[in-house]
Amino acid sequence: MFKNYLKIAFRNLLKSKGTSVINILGLSIGMACCVIIFLFVQNELKYDSFHSKSKDIFRVLTIDEALGVSSNLVGITLPALGPAMENNFPEVEKRVRMIPQGRQLISYEQQGFYTEHFAYAEPSLFDVFDFKLIDGDTEKALTEPNTVIFTQSMAKKTFGEENPIGKRIDFGNQTSLEVVGVMADVTENSHLDFDVIMSMEQADTTSGFAQFLRSWQSISMVTYVQLASPENEEGVESKMEELIRANNVGDNFKVTLQPLKDVHLKSSGILFENYNLNKTDANYVYTLAAVGLFVILIASFNFMNLSTARSANRAQEVGVRKVFGADRVQLINQFMIESIVLCFVSFFIAIGLVALASPLINLPIEENLALHFLSNGNWLLGAFVFVLVLGLFSGSYPALLLSGYNPITILRGSFKTSSKGVLLRKSLVIFQFTISITMIIGTAIVYDQLQHQRNIEKGFDPEQVVTLNIGNPGLQQSMPVLINKLEQSPDIIKTARTAGMPGRTFGRRGVRPEGVPQEDTWIISVLGFDENFMELMDMQISEGRGFDVNMQTDVQQAVLINEAMAKELTWSEPVGKKITFGQQERTVIGVVKDFHFANMRHKIEPLAMFFNPNGGGNLAVKFSSANAGQTMEFIQSAWDEVFPNSPLEYRFFDEEFGQQYASDERFGTLVFSFTWLAIFIACLGLFGLSAFTAEQKTKEIGVRKVLGASISGIVVLLSRQFSQLIAVAVILAVPIAYYLMSLWLSDFEYRVDMNWIWFAISAMAAILIALLTVAFQSVKAATINPSKSLRYE
């Protein structure tokens, strides 16, 4: 019996080629989208889940409620807090502290190498997290001062095929660091990544670093705790508050816990976590999951629509089958199997589409996406169940509808399409285009916001600037020599030393501005640079003056502030005001026009700028665009001449600054792509329905043409009902899109106003696309010779 069902199913697929192609194409594209989105969502959701104790691990965050700070949640905390929690809270089983340093220069046998993810860490790193040590003593790893652990890839890069254990490297001012272990590369999705880990243990317990580790006065340490149970989170948080108050931590600071599973997805508003570089927004992930669901629903509804519309063509088949003894269950089975077969055919084609699209999709999966998907047994089982359920869902209404026809009515020729079926088809078309128009409006507003972020007045010129990283103190001593060599090139416009660049996290300091109440606590961002930096970056002074290399007092006594700080302090005449930094009082000599120096989602905060002519680990170089390639070669040769044993590390500033909204850009690209695929699938269904409608009205069209109807009149007639459905979809989509995009835009401090022109353009685009789809079939039907139309049937 089952074999017979399959034979008839394939026979009917081949018999109705047009409908089958539309259904298979729509379902294939929908399923391919679903697979790609599933892989993306699954990749994002599994971050840090490979740790066996992931549910018990929490990150300690600090809430800074001081004046001058608007982005008050930071990913670092008090250095002494972690050990105190472990020692005083029975709910805390272990703690681990670390200080990620990012790219750093290390050297082995006078040869320099840059790390990507250098970090200080405590030995408990390997107890709390499941990072694997494949060589060395796990019990003693990082327990001794001046010891380091390398990852496999970094060890190979530095030592080649030599055994790294026992080798010694140099780093900064600390020489002769012994390699005591080799760790497996972090291949899983982890917000923490390392290539060199240095012990935080100190031989001299009175050293400045050792005292720093015991400090309750600095917010600067990345800390994780492992709780006995996740249920202890709330109780531990209340104890943490009591603990920091008992240690005289300022009232403006509060602490909280963040579950490890939330670090990747729910940290978009957290600052001072440069190690969590790949973080994303959970709303983006859930939105894309919803888009995937809607795309497959649109494809599924296409199938249901066309199947119910075509029911009249199969009514006689049902009548004959019932007369020859087929019961309703057998008919339902037949139509369900046809639906399931079509879905499985579509699924295999979808896997082929995923394989073809894999090179074009930027997912952190090395192998082809289709092979990656098929290589996982659980995913294959899930896909099988999904396709089966989709087949049952898509074929449910047509099967129940067709199997319920009265055979006598059918064979008498008095069968008419059910009004319920017509209503269902109209409802599904409205639903499809409501989703599609909502997505078009959303895509337009996302595009507008991204354009706004790209083109917003940043307060500086990011073009033609390259930043050289010279963080190693040993290299900084020769920086004047490098600067002199670089400035010999006519293509290099200017160089400047700076402690940081916009887009990177600046440090923060407590200050006492003139005129504020004694009880107020102020903390602001700070940056130091030389006399050339502002001119190089094209930053503007709105009041007062900038730093002057000839003014000796500028180094110790002067400070620049930005407009945001003057506004926050309500200083109408800020020049000449005093600001105290610790024990040092400085005078405001100028106000710099606001420029964006943090994530574009955040408000521009108060900033103080110091004159530091001979400091800073970054050298900014402004160069001419005329000979960019030759200029970079010149910079490389000058570097090699001054620092022959150290590799040059540089970044183009415009690209680096653009990384701030890389997550938004990726989201926009994905939404844009899947929106137009959804529109295409919806139009496929509309194409099939319009073809069916034209076929049903063949005789009517012939009569109308004989009586003098024009082609344009017939096209309008056939298009009218679909136009009405799209108009209803527009009415439904506009408020839905407005609400959803209002929520999305609320996350941006600097956002566009929702321009109604986007709603109008999106609605017109959807209507135009739909009408063009329908018009093709309408014109085709209207141009048929009426003599042929009247011979129809």
Side-chain angles (χ1 to χ4, degrees):
M1 179 66 75
F2 183 73
K3 182 179 179 181
N4 189 51
Y5 285 153
L6 287 177
K7 185 184 295 183
I8 296 173
F10 280 109
R11 190 176 294 164
N12 277 306
L13 287 178
L14 294 173
K15 182 180 179 181
S16 305
K17 293 184 178 66
T19 303
S20 298
V21 167
I22 290 174
N23 279 331
I24 291 173
L25 185 58
L27 283 174
S28 297
I29 295 174
M31 288 180 183
C33 291
C34 257
V35 169
I36 292 169
I37 290 175
F38 166 77
L39 290 173
F40 173 82
V41 171
Q42 189 264 351
N43 181 74
E44 297 296 316
L45 294 181
K46 76 174 187 178
Y47 260 78
D48 300 307
S49 61
F50 66 96
H51 299 292
S52 59
K53 303 163 188 171
S54 59
K55 293 181 180 178
D56 302 325
I57 301 172
F58 292 80
R59 180 169 66 156
V60 182
L61 303 177
T62 302
I63 305 170
D64 187 349
E65 296 181 341
L67 297 172
V69 176
S70 58
S71 305
N72 58 8
L73 193 60
V74 296
I76 49 179
T77 193
L78 304 149
L81 180 58
M85 291 174 67
E86 185 176 19
N87 295 333
N88 294 288
F89 301 168
E91 301 92 338
V92 177
E93 294 187 341
K94 293 184 180 69
R95 107 284 173 157
V96 57
R97 297 177 297 173
M98 58 189 76
I99 310 175
Q101 298 288 297
R103 288 181 65 85
Q104 295 293 328
L105 179 65
I106 63 172
S107 60
Y108 171 64
E109 294 183 346
Q110 304 301 313
Q111 182 64 44
F113 301 91
Y114 272 106
T115 71
E116 293 294 335
H117 306 288
F118 188 99
Y120 295 90
E122 293 184 303
S124 51
L125 174 72
F126 296 101
D127 297 325
V128 175
F129 297 101
D130 290 355
F131 299 119
K132 297 178 182 178
L133 199 65
I134 58 177
D135 197 358
D137 190 338
T138 306
E139 298 296 325
K140 296 181 180 180
L142 302 179
T143 58
E144 297 294 329
N146 300 322
T147 57
V148 293
I149 290 175
F150 274 59
T151 60
Q152 283 179 295
S153 58
M154 190 65 196
K156 186 172 183 179
K157 174 182 175 181
T158 307
F159 307 107
E161 300 301 324
E162 298 180 55
N163 183 358
I165 302 299
K167 296 289 191 299
R168 293 188 174 274
I169 65 164
D170 295 335
F171 166 64
N173 291 328
Q174 299 188 2
T175 60
S176 194
L177 303 177
E178 182 184 0
V179 180
V180 296
V182 177
M183 186 180 88
D185 291 338
V186 182
T187 57
E188 300 283 352
N189 283 7
S190 172
H191 81 279
L192 289 172
D193 199 359
F194 312 102
D195 49 18
V196 177
I197 309 172
M198 181 174 172
S199 171
M200 289 173 60
E201 298 295 321
Q202 294 293 297
D204 180 5
T205 58
T206 64
S207 68
F209 187 74
Q211 293 179 27
F212 159 75
L213 294 176
R214 298 191 293 269
S215 170
W216 287 96
Q217 304 305 316
S218 170
I219 308 296
S220 52
M221 185 68 70
V222 177
T223 303
Y224 296 83
V225 292
Q226 178 188 327
L227 305 185
S229 170
E231 284 74 24
N232 295 327
E233 178 184 359
E234 186 175 343
V236 170
E237 285 184 333
S238 62
K239 287 186 176 183
M240 290 165 65
E241 180 70 18
E242 297 174 5
L243 182 63
I244 64 172
R245 297 292 162 253
N247 285 278
N248 300 315
V249 176
D251 292 338
N252 58 292
F253 290 119
K254 292 181 171 53
V255 285
T256 187
L257 295 177
Q258 181 187 40
L260 183 64
K261 64 180 178 62
D262 292 343
V263 173
H264 175 66
L265 291 174
K266 299 181 179 179
S267 299
S268 59
I270 300 176
L271 295 181
F272 292 97
E273 51 166 13
N274 293 337
Y275 55 94
N276 190 13
L277 298 176
N278 295 319
K279 64 183 178 181
T280 189
D281 192 321
N283 291 327
Y284 286 175
V285 176
Y286 301 145
T287 299
L288 286 171
V291 167
L293 175 63
F294 288 145
V295 168
I296 198 63
L297 280 177
I298 289 173
S300 178
F301 289 167
N302 273 354
F303 176 63
M304 292 180 68
N305 253 344
L306 293 176
S307 296
T308 54
R310 293 275 175 184
S311 57
N313 294 349
R314 301 196 62 182
Q316 287 188 341
E317 176 191 339
V318 172
V320 171
R321 281 174 168 273
K322 282 194 170 185
V323 167
F324 280 95
D327 58 31
R328 189 173 188 185
V329 173
Q330 290 176 321
L331 291 170
I332 289 175
N333 289 341
Q334 175 63 56
F335 292 120
M336 283 293 194
I337 287 174
E338 286 184 21
S339 174
I340 292 170
V341 165
L342 188 143
C343 285
F344 271 100
V345 170
S346 300
F347 175 72
F348 291 125
I349 295 175
I351 294 299
L353 293 176
V354 172
L356 292 174
S358 183
L360 306 175
I361 300 168
N362 185 24
L363 282 182
I365 299 172
E366 293 183 1
E367 60 184 325
N368 187 283
L369 294 180
L371 294 177
H372 181 73
F373 182 83
L374 294 173
S375 63
N376 190 302
N378 291 331
W379 291 353
L380 275 180
L381 178 61
F384 176 83
V385 173
F386 170 76
V387 174
L388 184 62
V389 170
L390 181 62
L392 293 173
F393 171 71
S394 300
S396 58
Y397 185 84
L400 294 172
L401 179 70
L402 292 169
S403 64
Y405 288 156
N406 187 320
I408 298 176
T409 303
I410 295 170
L411 296 177
R412 281 178 176 172
S414 56
F415 168 77
K416 292 183 179 180
T417 302
S418 166
S419 60
K420 292 182 179 179
V422 174
L423 179 62
L424 175 68
R425 291 198 296 277
K426 289 181 177 180
S427 300
L428 293 182
V429 169
I430 291 172
F431 179 82
Q432 287 176 310
F433 276 88
T434 298
I435 293 174
S436 299
I437 295 167
T438 300
M439 291 172 67
I440 293 175
I441 295 171
T443 299
I445 294 174
V446 168
Y447 172 81
D448 199 19
Q449 175 63 26
L450 293 178
Q451 284 293 100
H452 177 69
Q453 288 186 170
R454 295 187 195 107
N455 301 326
I456 192 173
E457 179 55 49
K458 298 176 178 64
F460 53 79
D461 180 13
E463 302 299 326
Q464 308 306 133
V465 176
V466 64
T467 308
L468 312 186
N469 178 19
I470 315 179
N472 188 299
L475 300 185
Q476 290 181 22
Q477 296 175 5
S478 300
M479 194 182 292
V481 179
L482 176 64
I483 291 173
N484 288 333
K485 287 187 175 296
L486 292 177
E487 291 180 345
Q488 292 174 13
S489 170
D491 293 318
I492 291 182
I493 300 169
K494 191 169 286 293
T495 63
R497 296 186 67 169
T498 175
M501 294 292 286
R504 303 179 190 177
T505 305
F506 293 167
R508 286 177 174 175
R509 288 184 63 178
V511 298
R512 172 65 52 189
E514 178 183 324
V516 303
Q518 280 295 117
E519 63 272 14
D520 287 354
T521 301
W522 279 80
I523 292 180
I524 62 172
S525 297
V526 293
L527 174 65
F529 47 72
D530 69 9
E531 68 278 7
N532 296 323
F533 181 73
M534 289 188 58
E535 183 180 352
L536 182 147
M537 296 297 295
D538 197 22
M539 294 176 177
Q540 304 298 317
I541 296 285
S542 59
E543 294 183 55
R545 66 174 178 87
F547 295 125
D548 187 343
V549 71
N550 298 314
M551 298 284 289
Q552 298 297 319
T553 56
D554 278 6
V555 175
Q556 296 295 329
Q557 300 175 21
V559 66
L560 294 172
I561 64 173
N562 64 349
E563 291 175 323
M565 185 167 181
K567 183 178 180 181
E568 192 82 14
L569 290 165
T570 64
W571 283 347
S572 57
E573 297 182 2
V575 176
K577 296 288 187 182
K578 307 292 184 181
I579 303 176
T580 303
F581 297 83
Q583 302 301 315
Q584 186 183 48
E585 185 180 77
R586 290 176 177 262
T587 302
V588 177
I589 62 170
V591 179
V592 180
K593 285 187 177 181
D594 280 339
F595 62 90
H596 289 272
F597 60 89
N599 189 293
M600 299 287 282
R601 289 173 177 259
H602 299 288
K603 180 181 178 181
I604 297 177
E605 295 183 348
L607 173 67
M609 290 152 277
F610 304 128
F611 186 33
N612 190 7
N614 299 311
N618 298 279
L619 180 63
V621 180
K622 183 84 169 181
F623 60 93
S624 169
S625 59
N627 300 301
Q630 294 178 9
T631 302
M632 292 310 302
E633 292 177 2
F634 176 79
I635 292 174
Q636 180 71 63
S637 64
W639 176 278
D640 291 340
E641 189 175 340
V642 179
F643 307 117
N645 297 320
S646 301
L648 170 64
E649 182 204 11
Y650 66 87
R651 298 192 69 178
F652 290 104
F653 175 63
D654 56 345
E655 296 177 359
E656 181 182 1
F657 190 79
Q659 288 300 310
Q660 291 188 100
Y661 33 82
S663 178
D664 300 327
E665 294 277 359
R666 181 174 63 170
F667 173 73
T669 300
L670 289 172
V671 168
F672 178 83
S673 302
F674 291 122
T675 292
W676 290 111
L677 283 174
I679 284 286
F680 175 73
I681 295 170
C683 287
L684 273 179
L686 199 60
F687 183 85
L689 281 178
S690 62
F692 170 73
T693 302
E695 181 184 330
Q696 293 293 97
K697 293 180 178 290
T698 300
K699 186 174 290 187
E700 178 187 341
I701 291 169
V703 171
R704 286 179 177 274
K705 291 195 72 175
V706 168
L707 295 177
S710 65
I711 292 177
S712 59
I714 294 173
V715 170
V716 170
L717 173 71
L718 294 175
S719 304
R720 184 181 301 155
Q721 65 169 325
F722 295 107
S723 302
Q724 292 170 348
L725 297 180
I726 306 303
V728 173
V730 169
I731 293 171
L732 294 175
V734 166
I736 295 172
Y738 182 85
Y739 173 74
L740 294 176
M741 297 317 296
S742 295
L743 288 179
W744 183 70
L745 286 173
S746 66
D747 286 338
F748 295 87
E749 185 66 34
Y750 302 93
R751 55 182 176 267
V752 294
D753 294 325
M754 275 195 287
N755 194 329
W756 284 101
I757 192 68
W758 290 118
F759 290 83
I761 291 174
S762 301
M764 290 173 60
I767 292 172
L768 181 63
I769 292 170
L771 289 180
L772 287 174
T773 303
V774 174
F776 176 82
Q777 293 291 356
S778 301
V779 171
K780 181 180 177 182
T783 54
I784 294 176
N785 190 317
S787 63
K788 293 182 179 180
S789 301
L790 295 175
R791 287 202 304 267
Y792 181 74
E793 295 182 340

